[in-house]
Amino acid sequence: MKKNLLWKTVFIVVVLLVFVYGIFVGRDPARSLSAIKQNGLVAGLQQSIHLGLDLKGGTHLILQVMVNDAVNADSDQAIQRLKEDLKQANVPFGDITKGDPANAPDRIAIKGVPPESSGELRRVVQERLQEYDLTSGTENSWTLAMKPNVMSDLKNRAVTQAIETIRNRIDQLGVSEPTIQEHGLGEHQILVQLPGVDDPARVKEIMQSTAMLEIRQSLGGPYSSEQDAMSAHNGVLPPDTVLVKGRSSRGGSQEGPQDVYYLLSRASAVTGRDLRSAQPGRDENGRPDVMFNLTGEGGRRFGAFTGAHVGDALAIVLDNKVQEVANIQEQIRDQGRISGSFTEQQAQDLAMVLRSGALPAGIRYLEERTVGPSLGADSIRQGVRAALYGMIAVMVFMLIYYRGAGINANLGLVLNLVILLGFLGFTGATLTLPGIAGVILTVGMGVDSNVLIFERIREELRNGKTPPSAVEQGFAHAWLTIIDTHVTTIVSAAILFIFGTGPVRGFAVTLTFGLLANLFTAVFVSRVIFDSIVNRHQRGEALSI
């Protein structure tokens, strides 16, 4: 018996030490130990326990993903594929366009297909564009409409990809414990919470940047206006070319950079999808620029393209604007440079955005709130003060009402708090203001468990049982009730965690961790302490409870 108690006591001490380590060192020992060396244990605690937006202050944003952009991009690609496939199948057609890209981006109008080619048109669509339904109209016209389930899936994937892209960009900014998830209260909306962000304008700009990179052949320009460009080609652009706007400071203008237009190939030699990496750098004149490297496949295509167009002009297009035009001096294989009038900060941000990939659709800000650090500090102070006062009041009550057994209960409460904070440190979970409420509720549940056990022991003593037998029977009778209350509350907390957001999830996390710790302290630790006391009792000596 004594040997078992010794091992149980050693186990409790080891658990205590492990979770104390979790409180001050947590899941990132290198950073926490460095903070402790420089500023003491409090700095380690601040490094280990992450505070939520409501405690630390920061930025709260709700974004609307413009999912029709993704539908437009998909239908644009479908138009290009259909044109190529119809040409290969020798199916004549007049025009293939979208009638209303803003309100009906999923619908494509096909005109001028002769009646005798309608069967071949159906075959091409069924084989190559299975995600579209084809219907016939009047005067040799047809309509392609994206299937509803395909469009719904495309919109949902756009939101998921936007969350992943924004997360990548925020992670590279070094923001700790950001919340980036689907909002749930609106269709295609994203909730972004950034604790401790001191430059929300920069974060918003980086999140909203699309950064779609394309490298195309430049076939003419710069032209001072679209009319000049059209006039230079007798009013009709050459096949498979487009006019793209750019900026130019050349030409002796006294008014700074001017809008100009370039005639570019419609097809891109490589795009941002072929990027392997991007880093900020400086050009030969010491001005900030961005260096990029291509993947193996992208480098092979870029090498073939530049090798076949030595002496021709090349345009780097960023977000559908010409960033730079230069002549190809020699074959270039797997790397390039984006130059422009960048500041050092802009070059760093552009490299970061390119590394994280392009957003699949535009985003619009629906709501923006900033939580000031003073509000966070007040919340921390009031919350911690409420928790301490409540805990001290409970501990005093337990000592007065249960005398010696009250010490047992109070040790369990302190250990419960240590385990809970250690959990937060090890898992990196965020402590929020509702999370502090969860801690207080956990303290209440811990006291309730002890009261259940103590009252059962008192009842057994009143029935004439000896202290060892009363302790044995008291724990046995209270065990099922404690398990029942804890399991039902943990299930409720799990539902809150799954369906809740932000601070609500913080409440669920601390409540769940606290209840698990409470099961250990109220049942196991409390029993070990009672057994130790009973073992030292003399025959006939009363149990202080």
Side-chain angles (χ1 to χ4, degrees):
M1 181 69 176
K2 288 184 178 179
K3 189 175 180 180
N4 282 340
L5 278 177
L6 176 63
W7 283 113
K8 289 178 180 176
T9 305
V10 169
F11 177 68
I12 292 170
V13 171
V14 170
V15 169
L16 177 64
L17 293 176
V18 167
F19 283 103
V20 167
Y21 177 87
I23 293 174
F24 294 102
V25 180
R27 62 188 301 182
D28 192 349
R31 294 178 64 178
S32 297
L33 291 174
S34 174
I36 291 173
K37 285 180 182 177
Q38 293 178 7
N39 300 306
L41 286 176
V42 175
L45 177 68
Q46 292 173 339
Q47 189 68 45
S48 176
I49 306 295
H50 300 292
L51 301 181
L53 184 72
D54 51 354
L55 296 180
K56 194 174 184 179
T59 301
H60 167 100
L61 302 167
I62 296 177
L63 315 177
Q64 177 73 56
V65 181
M66 312 303 286
V67 290
N68 276 353
D69 290 354
V71 178
N72 259 318
D74 190 90
S75 55
D76 284 342
Q77 292 177 358
I79 289 174
Q80 292 301 318
R81 295 205 312 267
L82 184 60
K83 286 181 177 178
E84 294 171 3
D85 291 338
L86 290 180
K87 287 178 181 176
Q88 289 180 0
N90 294 319
V91 176
F93 59 91
D95 196 11
I96 302 178
T97 58
K98 284 189 290 188
D100 188 358
N103 299 311
D106 58 317
R107 293 184 176 273
I108 300 171
I110 308 171
K111 297 179 180 177
V113 177
E116 60 272 19
S117 299
S118 59
E120 191 64 10
L121 172 64
R122 287 185 183 278
R123 183 191 66 78
V124 169
V125 171
Q126 286 176 357
E127 290 182 0
R128 303 288 294 166
L129 296 171
Q130 297 178 0
E131 63 273 28
Y132 286 83
D133 289 323
L134 180 67
T135 56
S136 60
T138 58
E139 298 179 353
N140 300 332
S141 66
W142 299 79
T143 300
L144 271 178
M146 190 180 292
K147 295 177 180 176
N149 62 323
V150 174
M151 186 162 60
S152 175
D153 182 60
L154 181 62
K155 290 180 177 179
N156 291 334
R157 279 190 286 116
V159 175
T160 304
Q161 188 180 342
I163 290 175
E164 190 62 29
T165 303
I166 290 173
R167 188 187 305 282
N168 289 338
R169 295 178 180 182
I170 295 298
D171 286 347
Q172 293 190 46
L173 282 173
V175 178
S176 63
E177 296 300 313
T179 298
I180 305 166
Q181 61 191 31
E182 202 161 348
H183 188 214
L185 299 180
E187 197 174 21
H188 307 132
Q189 294 178 1
I190 299 174
L191 169 69
V192 178
Q193 293 184 333
L194 308 172
V197 168
D198 57 358
D199 190 0
R202 181 186 172 215
V203 173
K204 283 174 59 180
E205 186 177 346
I206 289 172
M207 282 196 301
Q208 201 162 17
S209 298
T210 304
M212 185 173 65
L213 176 68
E214 297 170 284
I215 299 179
R216 301 181 181 184
Q217 185 180 3
S218 178
L219 301 168
Y223 303 102
S224 58
S225 66
E226 289 184 88
Q227 291 74 19
D228 287 348
M230 296 297 290
S231 300
H233 296 87
N234 298 321
V236 180
L237 294 180
D240 296 323
T241 61
V242 291
L243 280 178
V244 181
K245 184 187 290 186
R247 300 278 283 175
S248 175
S249 58
R250 299 175 184 175
S253 172
Q254 300 298 316
E255 300 176 357
Q258 301 291 311
D259 285 342
V260 294
Y261 291 84
Y262 293 90
L263 183 69
L264 306 183
S265 62
R266 183 178 294 277
S268 305
V270 291
T271 69
R273 295 178 181 175
D274 300 306
L275 275 186
R276 187 178 62 198
S277 64
Q279 305 87 28
R282 289 184 178 277
D283 62 14
E284 59 277 6
N285 297 316
R287 295 174 300 189
D289 65 3
V290 177
M291 294 285 296
F292 63 84
N293 294 87
L294 300 172
T295 61
E297 172 60 21
R300 186 191 62 76
R301 282 189 280 114
F302 196 46
F305 173 80
T306 53
H309 293 87
V310 173
D312 293 342
L314 188 72
I316 295 179
V317 184
L318 194 63
D319 289 342
N320 209 30
K321 289 184 179 178
V322 176
Q323 190 70 36
E324 183 182 15
V325 175
N327 288 327
I328 303 172
Q329 303 294 335
E330 58 184 354
Q331 187 178 33
I332 308 170
R333 295 193 180 279
D334 60 356
Q335 63 181 6
R337 182 192 300 271
I338 303 174
S339 300
S341 302
F342 298 129
T343 64
E344 194 158 345
Q345 181 73 71
Q346 288 171 331
Q348 290 177 1
D349 290 349
L350 175 59
M352 186 185 67
V353 169
L354 288 173
R355 285 197 300 268
S356 64
L359 284 171
I363 56 176
R364 182 163 59 91
Y365 290 97
L366 298 180
E367 181 181 332
E368 176 184 351
R369 284 191 283 119
T370 301
V371 180
S374 58
L375 177 59
D378 289 344
S379 300
I380 294 173
R381 197 162 34 250
Q382 292 172 6
V384 170
R385 191 178 299 163
L388 283 177
Y389 288 170
M391 192 166 176
I392 290 171
V394 168
M395 293 171 77
V396 170
F397 170 80
M398 296 299 284
L399 282 174
I400 294 174
Y401 195 73
Y402 289 107
R403 294 172 289 177
I407 299 175
N408 182 345
N410 292 340
L411 286 174
L413 286 179
V414 172
L415 183 55
N416 196 348
L417 195 61
V418 170
I419 292 175
L420 174 55
L421 292 177
F423 260 127
L424 295 178
F426 278 128
T427 60
T430 303
L431 181 63
T432 61
L433 192 58
I436 294 178
V439 174
I440 297 172
L441 182 56
T442 298
V443 170
M445 294 283 287
V447 172
D448 187 49
S449 301
N450 282 302
V451 169
L452 277 173
I453 295 169
F454 295 170
E455 289 301 322
R456 293 292 179 274
I457 294 175
R458 278 182 167 182
E459 192 176 309
E460 297 297 331
L461 289 172
R462 283 196 293 271
N463 290 335
K465 297 285 181 62
T466 61
S469 178
V471 169
E472 177 76 25
Q473 293 299 315
F475 273 93
H477 291 157
W479 166 248
L480 287 179
T481 306
I482 295 172
I483 285 291
D484 181 54
T485 56
H486 280 64
V487 168
T488 52
T489 311
I490 287 174
V491 170
S492 302
I495 293 173
L496 278 179
F497 182 82
I498 293 171
F499 295 103
T501 59
V504 175
R505 300 185 83 181
F507 172 77
V509 166
T510 54
L511 183 58
T512 304
F513 286 165
L515 291 176
L516 292 174
N518 189 46
L519 280 176
F520 175 71
T521 57
V523 179
F524 183 77
V525 176
S526 181
R527 179 65 186 272
V528 169
I529 296 174
F530 265 117
D531 286 344
S532 300
I533 295 172
V534 168
N535 275 349
R536 290 197 299 271
H537 264 219
Q538 300 298 321
R539 182 180 293 276
E541 186 179 354
L543 187 65
S544 177
I545 186 169

